[in-house]
Amino acid sequence: METSQDFLNRAFVLLHRTDPIPKRLPQVRLGRMPKDSPALQAIISSWLDAFVAVLKDGESTLDVNAVLRLDPNPRLAVLYEAGLLDSADPNAQAARSAYAAALEAARQRADVKV
């Protein structure tokens, strides 16, 4: 069975590879890519889908500390602040909901162990 840390290591690789912030945000800030670019929106949507998939896949594996490390809210805040994402975006809401569900599942497993 995969440990929480093993899962987290795999998740970080996937999320880092699809993360729009390191490569796309500087392009937007420099004016090389418009904020409303369909390509940029597709990249952000794909990354959020990956985030949701990781959190859902990890619900049965991740411990509380691992889930806390996968909190999407700080990265979402960067995208909100840059004007690249609206807080009402369904993909952003799905990421926040998946995070809350994964955290609740990890807390329940921790309570059972105690």
Side-chain angles (χ1 to χ4, degrees):
M1 185 170 156
E2 185 173 44
T3 67
S4 183
Q5 188 59 47
D6 291 339
F7 185 92
L8 195 60
N9 291 341
R10 281 190 317 105
F12 281 145
V13 169
L14 171 68
L15 294 175
H16 177 71
R17 186 174 47 228
T18 60
D19 190 349
I21 293 174
K23 293 181 182 176
R24 304 297 178 221
L25 185 57
Q27 290 181 11
V28 170
R29 288 185 174 154
L30 293 172
R32 294 182 184 154
M33 180 178 272
K35 289 181 181 182
D36 60 352
S37 163
L40 178 60
Q41 294 308 312
I43 290 167
I44 292 170
S45 177
S46 176
W47 173 71
L48 289 169
D49 289 344
F51 223 111
V52 169
V54 163
L55 289 166
K56 286 184 177 181
D57 289 347
E59 272 189 35
S60 63
T61 305
L62 295 171
D63 60 33
V64 173
N65 288 331
V67 175
L68 291 173
R69 291 184 63 195
L70 287 171
D71 184 356
N73 290 306
R75 301 197 80 67
L76 291 173
V78 169
L79 295 173
Y80 298 150
E81 185 178 302
L84 301 178
L85 191 64
D86 185 77
S87 62
D89 182 90
N91 291 326
Q93 291 176 351
R96 288 191 305 267
S97 294
Y99 171 72
L103 187 57
E104 180 61 28
R107 285 183 173 151
Q108 286 179 358
R109 278 193 313 283
D111 288 344
V112 169
K113 289 180 183 178
V114 174

